[in-house]
DNA sequence: CTGATTATCGTCAGGCAGACGACTATGATC
DNA sequence: GATCATAGTCGTCTGCCTGACGATAATCAG
């Protein structure tokens, strides 16, 4: 019988954040170095406890702005500049996931455009963007030239993998890939986002036809840019459509 | 600064279940009548507190078997008879969602074949299958001839709506619809599952072509049946494929 | 036997995606 | 300034899949 108020076990509840961005053609996640045991010195996902009167989404938004300065973006409103997409990912509650006590962590997924630099509260050197492959690599293939050899603290590798998988599948059928782009962007920049997140090469011509032909996906702003060299490209903003139908197809293999 | 062990707020953590099945051409959910305040006498989703050393998935599986006798089904193993699909849905943690105290609820979604009858632990009359439209109907359109007029307790209407939406979208691109069917079933029975969950009519010929043409979706058992009247139909079991590519398309409007 | 019901196979046209050719507009290099 | 490399944009063609729907098959109810 649910909700016996007289006796219930007490849990700590935290939020952990998978913050993804695309930098230099690679899908990167935000990682913080732990300053306290357990896992002291190891990299982990940003996160923290939920406050007694705080909603889960509010706790995630608070941690996000503390770690990155990014505002969480309510999808029902027009996107303010410097805003990130934020959604709940999944909840992790293995009794042994934290060696000290029972902690249930509600993981959230945030997608952000490429930012100047991560900003930490007090110690800026302990937070960084790292390519997700290096963070998920358990064998230490990146170990010789970085300090990322050790796996992530707690079950954060699993959480990160789940977040990456969510992002990979969600850009198939939604316009979420634009959350990785600045307010104005070109078709080529959007294509490089897809290529980085999926880890594949896409045909520029078919991609252009698909995204410009999907109603509501992209809105031309009129301007052009030549950021990448080559012929100047039209600039677009994200349109009102959130669901892509038919979806973008991820190439086989 | 995550994980300061000295001071953290204490939460209660519960699991709530959205258990769906298809009965008589309608998508139905399991509801229990609350015997205790708050919301005494109102219908609610089954659920309960997570035990101190219990994983979240284990707590959900325990509640499921307590309420229905259904075994939760590990998707990596061959399905035992009378097993239901069980997956985490989302977590609800509004500070005011339970008037007594701070309860964070990890909702799970279960899909079950049509069962003989729901089985409650002690009081069988307080648990029932109800069509999801009647449970979600806030205006009391069902109120004159049933006691389902009152909305569900707590935020369970929201949780149920999220679970139904998850089921509706997930049968598009996965073989999960077979979880609503008995071990052996016909193409027509599977089609009626889609029609009930989506609330649309599908063309029997195109549906037949699609599901029999998708490799790994259905495996013929050799037998035939004539449960529905009309020409006998081939019997199938669910194949090994879990992802349908290309997906089943939900008709517009 | 006749009609109703369900299952199953076929046909055809339209839409969309993958493969790829062609042309355009810029910066870099000589 | 000519040439080349680079990136963007427009077209074409072919094959696959889907929706619409005709036709046939095998049962049950009268």
């Amino acid at each position: 019988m649910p909700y016996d108020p007289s006796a219930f076990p007490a849990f700590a509840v935290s939020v952990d954040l998978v913050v993804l961005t695309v930098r230099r053609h690679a899908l990167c996640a935000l990682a913080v170095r732990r300053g306290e045991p357990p896992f002291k010195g190891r990299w982990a996902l940003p996160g923290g406890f939920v406050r007694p009167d705080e909603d889960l989404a509010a706790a995630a938004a608070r941690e996000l702005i503390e770690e990155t300065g990014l505002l969480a973006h309510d999808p029902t409103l027009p996107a303010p500049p410097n805003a990130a997409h934020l959604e709940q990912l999944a909840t992790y509650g293995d009794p042994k996931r934290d060696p000290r006590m029972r902690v249930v962590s509600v993981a959230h997924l945030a997608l952000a455009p490429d930012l100047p630099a991560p900003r930490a509260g007090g110690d800026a050197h302990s937070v960084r963007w790292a390519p997700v492959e290096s963070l998920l690599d358990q064998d230490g293939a990146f170990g010789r030239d970085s300090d990322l050899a050790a796996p992530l603290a707690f079950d954060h590798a699993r959480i990160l993998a789940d977040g990456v998988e969510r992002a990979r599948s969600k850009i198939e059928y939604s316009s979420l890939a634009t959350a990785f782009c600045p307010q104005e962007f070109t078709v080529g920049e959007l294509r490089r986002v897809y290529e980085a997140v999926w880890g594949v090469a896409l045909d520029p011509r078919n991609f252009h036809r698909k995204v410009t032909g999907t109603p509501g996906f992209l809105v031309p702003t009129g301007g052009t840019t030549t950021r990448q060299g080559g012929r100047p490209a039209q600039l677009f903003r994200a349109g009102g459509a959130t669901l892509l139908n038919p979806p973008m197809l991820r190439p086989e293999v």
Side-chain angles (χ1 to χ4, degrees), chain A:
Chain A
M1 304 309 115
Y3 303 106
D4 175 353
S6 62
F8 64 92
F11 293 73
V13 175
S14 64
V15 291
D16 285 318
L17 293 182
V18 176
V19 190
L20 300 179
T21 196
V22 174
R23 328 188 77 197
R24 284 177 288 127
H25 267 225
L27 182 63
C28 294
L30 197 65
V32 300
R33 195 194 284 276
R34 288 187 54 79
E36 300 293 330
F39 300 102
K40 178 170 179 175
R42 291 264 285 280
W43 292 95
L45 299 177
F49 287 113
V50 178
R51 294 178 179 164
D53 282 310
E54 191 179 42
D55 189 26
L56 299 175
R62 173 175 55 78
E63 293 289 339
L64 181 65
I65 203 168
E66 285 176 6
E67 303 284 354
T68 66
L70 283 164
L71 230 54
H73 167 210
D74 182 340
T76 63
L77 302 175
N82 230 31
H85 170 87
L86 181 63
E87 67 178 44
Q88 195 186 105
L89 176 58
T91 299
Y92 300 82
D94 187 297
K96 300 205 180 336
R97 62 179 295 278
D98 189 311
R100 296 161 298 175
M101 57 186 173
R102 185 72 196 263
V103 179
V104 168
S105 178
V106 184
H108 286 69
L109 174 66
L111 308 184
D114 194 1
L115 298 174
R119 165 205 120 174
D123 36 355
H125 64 285
S126 65
V127 52
R128 59 169 292 183
W129 294 108
V132 293
E133 319 91 70
S134 73
L135 289 172
L136 291 175
D137 176 54
Q138 305 272 357
D139 304 332
F142 292 79
R144 277 195 301 242
D145 53 355
S146 83
D147 50 0
L148 286 170
L152 288 172
F154 305 105
D155 52 0
H156 287 187
R158 171 68 176 285
I159 298 175
L160 175 60
D162 290 348
V164 168
E165 186 45 44
R166 169 83 66 95
R168 282 186 177 144
S169 65
K170 208 151 181 184
I171 65 173
E172 287 185 38
Y173 58 88
S174 78
S175 60
L176 255 188
T178 58
F180 286 117
C181 295
Q183 279 221 295
E184 296 200 345
F185 54 89
T186 68
V187 173
E189 288 165 350
L190 184 62
R191 176 170 48 82
R192 282 181 278 277
V193 164
Y194 274 91
E195 291 178 331
V197 175
W198 284 345
V200 298
L202 300 175
D203 185 289
R205 298 157 292 188
N206 293 335
F207 184 87
H208 189 278
R209 177 183 61 191
K210 172 70 177 174
V211 297
T212 57
T214 300
F217 193 5
L218 299 183
V219 180
T221 66
T224 61
T225 187
T226 179
R227 279 197 276 268
Q228 307 291 334
R231 172 175 167 178
Q234 272 191 82
L235 285 172
F236 294 88
R237 278 182 296 105
T242 57
L243 255 46
L244 305 183
N245 196 318
M248 297 285 307
L249 290 185
R250 184 169 9 175
E252 325 266 322
V253 184

